[in-house]
Amino acid sequence: MARIAALAPVLPEHAYAQSEITAAMAPLLSADPRRWATIERIHAATGIETRHLALPLEEYASLTTFTATNDTFIREATSLAAEACRQALAASGLDAQDVDYLLVTTITGVATPSLDVLLVERLGLRPDVKRVPVFGLGCAAGAAGIARVRDYLQGHPQDVALLVSVELCSLTLQHGDDSMANIVSGGLFGDGATAVVMVGSDRVDDVPGRVDVVDSRSDLVPGTTDVLGWDIGASGLRIVLGASLADIVEANLGPGVVDLLAAHGLKVADVGTWVAHTGGPRILQAAASSLELPDEAFAASWRSLARVGNLSSSGVLHVLADELATGGQIPGSAGVLFAFGPGVCTETVLLRWTEES
């Protein structure tokens, strides 16, 4: 067993209405004004009201090379991630010197030395902290991060771990690309970070009780490697986003979740809280259909999507933080958190709310 002691979701200071972002981004995607109406329609259909961006909106026109965008990513991602870590550690009552294990995940930029190294120096973590940088899990990485940290803490019950997700999706926008994938991506993804403090079973009395991580499951769908991911080239990270993704989610999510629950004597109806990947309206609808749930079962995820967009790996972590802040969960009741990523893969985490949640 591992316990989540604290979560700190953070957003960049630059917040804009969806319509403002569309008006600024459409000319960057296409020089043809006739195409702008299509872009506006697709962006409006996401239901997103506001998104936060790493930079002021007017600065995106000058980011025309991978060098410029990635240099910006390293600077801004490190700063945003560090702020999330400081807030999470403060909320847990622990400090940087207490951290034994650091897992940092991102899919929207590349850094070597990796972001975990930069955070060690920025936060004053111990030089002997165990570090794991993760790249490539995409939107699934927030859920996978909780699962893999839990796996580590199972074998190190006396340790404190820090999971950090930071995604600056806006920096991956491809200028002059009015493909459907780039249009959808440009209207769906936002920027944000989350830090999660987790402790092993020997340390649960040292931190505020929030939620226990009981178990997890990973699933890959064969033959779907061309549906979701990046094409990486001279212009940077160009999104691959197949039209079949929602259908794949609908066909494959349910059986994995059912099997994970059954291993603990539970059924879908026993789950009191759902923390669903904020992948967009079609993804949320497909997930609800796969689990035979009403759309309102994912109300927290719908609200998060409208408020900040799809934050990639940080999305489900922001939703989980919202659920914890809202409260009202029945102590001892089950929760399920899930997210999708390239592969196509699903990462599912079984949670149990504690008395103090």
Side-chain angles (χ1 to χ4, degrees), residues 135-225:
F135 180 92
L137 283 172
C139 296
I146 289 178
R148 299 294 83 78
V149 171
R150 180 255 182 190
D151 292 344
Y152 170 82
L153 291 171
Q154 290 283 94
H156 301 81
Q158 74 286 351
D159 279 7
V160 173
L162 184 59
L163 164 65
V164 187
S165 159
V166 57
E167 304 289 8
L168 304 185
C169 305
S170 66
L171 298 178
T172 69
L173 187 77
Q174 296 292 303
H175 290 225
D177 176 4
D178 64 351
S179 66
M180 190 57 64
N182 198 44
I183 291 173
V184 171
S185 174
L188 183 61
F189 289 95
D191 298 345
T194 317
V196 186
V197 177
M198 296 174 60
V199 299
S201 57
D202 290 354
R203 299 293 299 269
V204 295
D205 292 335
D206 300 337
V207 297
R210 303 296 286 166
V211 60
D212 291 336
V213 183
V214 178
D215 202 355
S216 67
R217 179 184 172 98
S218 301
D219 290 284
L220 277 171
V221 181
T224 61
T225 56

Side-chain angles (χ1 to χ4, degrees), residues 296-313:
E296 53 264 31
F298 301 155
S301 295
W302 282 102
R303 289 193 298 269
S304 183
L305 179 66
R307 190 174 67 250
V308 298
N310 180 351
L311 300 180
S312 188
S313 67

Side-chain angles (χ1 to χ4, degrees), residues 217 219 252-261 348:
R217 179 184 172 98
D219 290 284
N252 292 277
L253 172 65
V257 173
V258 167
D259 285 351
L260 176 61
L261 291 171
T348 308

Side-chain angles (χ1 to χ4, degrees), residues 16-19 46-51 305-308:
Y16 299 93
Q18 177 81 325
S19 58
T46 63
I48 294 169
E49 299 169 1
T50 309
R51 284 185 284 161
L305 179 66
R307 190 174 67 250
V308 298

